[in-house]
Amino acid sequence: MERTEFLKKISSTIFASLLLPALLNNDSGAKAQNHSEVSLPEMPKLPEPTEDEDVLIRMMRDLQRALKKPLEARKWSMVIDLRKCVGCHACTIACAAENKLPDGVIYRPVIEEEIGTYPNVSRRFIPRPCMQCEKPPCVNACPVNATWMRKDGIVEIDYQQCIGCRYCITACPYGSRVFDSGHSYVADAPRKEEAYLSGEGASVYEKTPAFEYGKETPRKEGKSPIGNVRKCHFCLHRIEKGLLPQCVVSCIGRATYFGDANDPDSLIAELISKPNIMVLKEEMGTKPKVYYLM
Amino acid sequence: MNTQNNKIEKLFWTITLVAFAIGLVGVYDRIFYGHIHANYGSYIPWGLWVAAYIYMIGLSAGAFVMSSLVYVFGVSEFKKIGKLSLLVALATLVGALVTIWMDLGHMGRAWRLMLRTNFTSVMGWMVWLYSFYFILLLTELWLAMRSDMLKLRDEASLRGKISRFLLFGDKEDSPEKQEKSMRLLKILGTIGIPLAIAFHGSVGAIFGVVGARPHWHSGLTPIIFLVGAFLSGGALLTFISAIWGPGRGTQEHRNMIVKLGRILLALLAVDVLLEYAEITVGIWQAVPEEAESLKLMLFGTYWWVFWIVHLGLGVVLPAVLLLTRSKSVGAVATAGLLIAVTFISVRLNIVLPGLAVPELEGLVHAYTGPGLTFNYFPSLSEWLLFIWSVSLAALLFLLGKRYLPILDE
């Protein structure tokens, strides 16, 4: 590949996923002034399709196509290529940063496995988001209808409705649901103003509002989502604005794919049809929408 | 006898009040710091408080079923402890509900369990069932005490005042009215039996339906919950009746305790049989995860909870007492106390080994943080709140016994 072409490709990816929204946002300054509104543009502009474009661009194109369909016609799915995953944990951290996850709350840990004995030994890395099951056992467990499967297949939690009984956590066969006990990464950090990573500076991360489920929620003591059960939601707030989930964008090996499985032209549908596709704990009958390529 | 009993009474009041006062620290911690100081979290979402809840709610269901022997089946030997068993059922129910309320992430949203119920959730059903049970229990207790309260209403003492208040203006008593009360009691008690079975069965079913936890996922789970409830509740009632039951020292009282001891022995045998079935079938490795849970329970870090606390102090010792000294009130009472107190170990061994086996191998090392662990031992705050809620139930019982005509014949 030509160097310039390569750079163009990289930069277009970055622009599309990160910079472009910000730039577009500056243009519509009047809109951004309304602080309560989620400051994202309606849809990122994508470059003309080329034959060897980055999969991220292809998936964004797929995503925008899916968004034009009615909600119930979409089937958001994820494919994780275990052969490509290098176990860098970037998705875990990008997810935590995106959703401002506090200490003890994690949506997408990467499980590490060692297979075989020396000299025939290898390692396998299994990122584990919420499986967004088609038959989610957690939904039936909830005593107060605080969690349900949306028409596009994402299992949503209403933080304002959840009473924090944690029954759904026991019902999930994947350990994907976690309890927000109210911990904080910086609670014990020194509070001296001049210290670089302390004082106001250190707590900015935890005070910045998260945009989960499209709602602006700054973290406040005793308020939801503290005391709630939380989990991965495929970055619903990003998808609905035409952006890929943060774990997909941050994957350095392009091992995580996302899209509408109902769209036969999409990359995700292409991958799901491979013979080496599998799901975790198929015997549970939960029908996960997160697939793994072996 | 009387001075000795006064001593026992004083001892129980002292223990209860001290425990209540110490436990208040746990309540303070829960109210002002939420769940930060709790050791349960994401991978072990339920801990000591949930175990305490199913423990006390089992005691309640068991004591209630004993009361139905009197009010439904008219077993005359137990007539004098009818009110006592209703009071025990009420006190333990309140203790259980307070514990599980504190366990919620958002205590202020508890009402949604009633008004926004999801009836595909067993927990949704459970809430409605024990709300009915609560109302039924209060009504039954009131009806059972009614004629005694009418006798007390003219007294100037605190008991008289409480009776006057609780009668809500009910003044007259007549044989017809008494008969009407008893008839109503019989009807309520009859409704109460299936209700108690349904509500405690549903507590068991909460665990039984969870396919993700093979240790819980069994049709036997709700049945074991029920038998365990009858056993532990019956055992507590036996102990209480032996210490405080009306007519202590009489032959009649002795006969009653001996008979209660026999019932206990039978219940203990059935409970052990079910437990044996559950453990032996489960450990066969047909479902590796279930075998893992059982191995944790039998040979894990907390092996002694099963072998020493449950099997030794809760099964073998009481069984020996009930078999060899079945005619001794003291021995039967001790057996009852042992079974009732150690039964918390059975409840812990249902909740925790079921959760302590990772759903996915290696998950625990994937990311660490508070609550992201499969090792669980209750924190100090958890113990304190547990002590408080148990002593709250004990205090309600002692207060009820002192100020309500529970022991009046």
Side-chain angles (χ1 to χ4, degrees):
Chain A
M1 195 190 292
E2 288 280 320
R3 187 167 169 266
T4 45
E5 204 184 342
F6 176 76
L7 281 176
K8 212 169 82 190
K9 189 172 149 181
I10 293 290
S11 63
S12 64
T13 307
I14 296 168
F15 261 80
S17 64
L18 297 165
L19 292 175
L20 208 62
L23 288 171
L24 287 172
N25 190 41
N26 276 349
D27 291 345
S28 52
K31 204 177 162 192
Q33 272 172 9
N34 189 349
H35 194 70
S36 66
E37 213 165 290
V38 180
S39 41
L40 282 172
E42 274 315 303
M43 217 51 88
K45 282 177 190 134
L46 296 173
E48 286 301 309
T50 54
E51 247 180 42
D52 56 347
E53 68 183 357
D54 193 294
V55 286
L56 287 180
I57 304 290
R58 159 105 194 259
M59 286 191 287
M60 281 179 93
R61 221 183 289 288
D62 291 349
L63 185 70
Q64 296 197 354
R65 203 164 53 244
L67 285 172
K68 290 192 182 105
K69 299 199 288 181
L71 201 66
E72 58 273 15
R74 306 170 204 158
K75 185 180 173 185
W76 298 127
S77 307
M78 187 174 279
V79 169
I80 301 169
D81 193 336
L82 296 184
R83 300 163 305 180
K84 284 186 175 176
C85 178
V86 296
C88 71
H89 299 256
C91 56
T92 311
I93 304 307
C95 164
E98 170 72 29
N99 296 301
K100 315 293 181 299
L101 301 184
D103 200 8
V105 175
I106 203 72
Y107 291 169
R108 191 183 156 104
V110 178
I111 299 170
E112 300 188 7
E113 275 184 345
E114 201 168 290
I115 306 158
T117 45
Y118 181 82
N120 297 312
V121 66
S122 65
R123 300 193 78 193
R124 181 164 61 190
F125 311 99
I126 310 169
R128 201 258 25 233
C130 168
M131 301 291 141
Q132 316 290 353
C133 306
E134 251 172 83
K135 297 196 174 223
C138 51
V139 167
N140 279 348
C142 178
V144 294
N145 291 307
T147 186
W148 60 88
M149 190 170 74
R150 289 160 49 96
K151 284 176 180 160
D152 57 8
I154 292 176
V155 176
E156 184 169 350
I157 300 174
D158 181 348
Y159 287 155
Q160 298 308 319
Q161 176 66 7
C162 170
I163 60 169
C165 73
R166 313 188 291 286
Y167 189 25
C168 58
I169 301 185
T170 73
C172 175
Y174 306 100
S176 294
R177 286 178 170 251
V178 289
F179 182 57
D180 190 338
S181 307
H183 290 279
S184 145
Y185 280 114
V186 296
D188 299 326
R191 292 280 159 194
K192 271 194 267 171
E193 282 305 320
E194 64 270 23
Y196 180 55
L197 273 176
S198 63
E200 281 305 299
S203 57
V204 161
Y205 164 73
E206 276 169 353
K207 280 183 185 157
T208 316
F211 290 96
E212 289 180 277
Y213 306 108
K215 289 174 196 125
E216 189 177 351
T217 24
R219 195 166 173 81
K220 284 191 192 131
E221 221 168 280
K223 295 267 188 291
S224 285
I226 295 174
N228 287 131
V229 171
R230 308 177 64 175
K231 67 170 193 68
C232 151
H233 32 64
F234 276 176
C235 279
L236 185 63
H237 56 286
R238 287 176 60 92
I239 322 172
E240 300 218 307
K241 299 288 175 186
L243 300 173
L244 291 164
Q246 193 58 263
C247 53
V248 179
V249 177
S250 61
C251 181
I252 61 162
R254 301 284 188 268
T256 297
Y257 302 88
F258 179 82
D260 171 21
N262 278 351
D263 176 0
D265 298 328
S266 69
L267 177 60
I268 202 93
E270 221 173 88
L271 294 170
I272 291 172
S273 69
K274 301 275 188 228
N276 54 338
I277 202 95
M278 58 156 290
V279 294
L280 293 182
K281 293 197 178 180
E282 194 174 5
E283 73 281 4
M284 297 296 302
T286 48
K287 298 195 185 299
K289 287 194 284 284
V290 172
Y291 301 83
Y292 293 87
L293 273 172
M294 296 289 287
Chain B
M1 186 75 197
N2 233 348
T3 53
Q4 191 202 342
N5 219 65
N6 273 343
K7 265 187 195 165
I8 293 180
E9 180 94 15
K10 251 187 193 158
L11 179 73
F12 272 93
W13 271 99
T14 315
I15 295 174
T16 305
L17 288 174
V18 169
F20 190 84
I22 295 173
L24 278 175
V25 180
V27 179
Y28 172 84
D29 193 73
R30 167 64 190 89
I31 302 291
F32 290 97
Y33 294 95
H35 299 259
I36 282 202
H37 296 140
N39 279 355
Y40 54 79
S42 295
Y43 295 162
I44 304 272
W46 288 348
L48 178 64
W49 296 346
V50 171
Y53 158 69
I54 58 174
Y55 168 60
M56 283 195 271
I57 213 141
L59 292 176
S60 177
F64 178 80
V65 169
M66 295 302 276
S67 80
S68 64
L69 290 179
V70 179
Y71 299 118
V72 182
F73 301 106
V75 181
S76 55
E77 285 109 314
F78 300 149
K79 207 176 157 194
K80 287 180 178 168
I81 55 163
K83 285 178 285 181
L84 198 59
S85 49
L86 287 173
L87 178 66
V88 172
L90 184 65
T92 45
L93 178 67
V94 172
L97 293 181
V98 167
T99 315
I100 205 64
W101 182 48
M102 297 270 188
D103 187 73
L104 289 182
H106 286 272
M107 288 168 69
R109 296 179 187 171
W111 58 270
R112 293 184 186 168
L113 286 161
M114 296 293 294
L115 299 181
R116 299 281 302 274
T117 319
N118 171 16
F119 284 104
T120 60
S121 166
V122 187
M123 200 182 276
W125 281 96
M126 179 192 74
V127 171
W128 276 90
L129 287 169
Y130 67 56
S131 301
F132 284 131
Y133 170 71
F134 203 151
I135 295 165
L136 185 116
L137 199 53
L138 283 174
T139 319
E140 270 203 50
L141 190 60
W142 188 85
L143 283 170
M145 294 191 306
R146 184 177 162 273
S147 52
D148 303 300
M149 290 196 293
L150 284 166
K151 278 179 213 149
L152 277 174
R153 67 183 298 274
D154 298 326
E155 279 185 24
S157 65
L158 187 56
R159 291 185 83 200
K161 275 181 198 155
I162 290 172
S163 288
R164 266 201 302 284
F165 174 73
L166 287 178
L167 280 167
F168 304 115
D170 192 355
K171 275 176 193 160
E172 276 166 75
D173 203 14
S174 59
E176 294 86 63
K177 271 202 162 179
Q178 279 190 25
E179 202 191 316
K180 206 176 150 194
S181 292
M182 290 320 280
R183 223 177 26 246
L184 202 55
L185 256 177
K186 187 169 178 170
I187 295 170
L188 288 175
T190 313
I191 301 170
I193 296 172
L195 189 60
I197 291 176
F199 102 81
H200 199 68
S202 73
V203 177
I206 281 187
F207 294 84
V209 297
V210 179
R213 313 284 171 170
H215 183 53
W216 299 347
H217 189 45
S218 157
L220 210 53
T221 306
I223 309 296
I224 289 192
F225 262 71
L226 274 179
V227 175
F230 298 159
L231 173 63
S232 57
L236 181 63
L237 191 66
T238 304
F239 169 73
I240 286 173
S241 306
I243 303 276
W244 288 295
R248 241 177 359 268
T250 61
Q251 188 61 34
E252 200 189 350
H253 178 258
R254 219 173 84 100
N255 287 347
M256 177 181 77
I257 300 300
V258 169
K259 193 152 189 185
L260 279 171
R262 289 210 189 111
I263 295 177
L264 271 194
L265 190 61
L267 284 170
L268 188 62
V270 178
D271 192 61
V272 168
L273 178 73
L274 292 177
E275 231 180 297
Y276 179 78
E278 185 92 326
I279 293 174
T280 47
V281 172
I283 210 148
W284 204 257
Q285 294 276 17
V287 181
E289 268 182 68
E290 177 164 19
E292 278 312 306
S293 289
L294 289 167
K295 277 185 207 156
L296 268 183
M297 178 175 107
L298 300 177
F299 314 113
T301 318
Y302 305 111
W303 61 273
W304 48 271
V305 175
F306 178 82
W307 294 103
I308 297 178
V309 181
H310 170 52
L311 207 59
L313 299 174
V315 175
V316 177
L317 192 55
V320 169
L321 284 172
L322 290 171
L323 282 168
T324 59
R325 303 193 54 207
S326 62
K327 296 270 188 300
S328 151
V329 172
V332 174
T334 312
L337 181 67
L338 279 170
I339 295 173
V341 170
T342 61
F343 217 77
I344 181 76
S345 64
V346 176
R347 299 316 194 189
L348 280 165
N349 268 336
I350 291 169
V351 177
L352 296 173
L355 295 168
V357 177
E359 298 98 326
L360 296 171
E361 220 183 310
L363 183 60
V364 68
H365 303 296
Y367 197 87
T368 52
L372 300 174
T373 166
F374 288 92
N375 292 320
Y376 171 78
F377 190 79
S379 68
L380 180 64
S381 316
E382 283 176 75
W383 283 114
L384 288 173
L385 193 126
F386 165 70
I387 289 169
W388 178 78
S389 56
V390 173
S391 63
L392 172 72
L395 191 63
L396 285 176
F397 167 75
L398 290 172
L399 284 171
K401 191 177 66 67
R402 178 173 279 191
Y403 295 112
L404 295 173
I406 296 295
L407 303 173
D408 301 25
E409 290 172 43

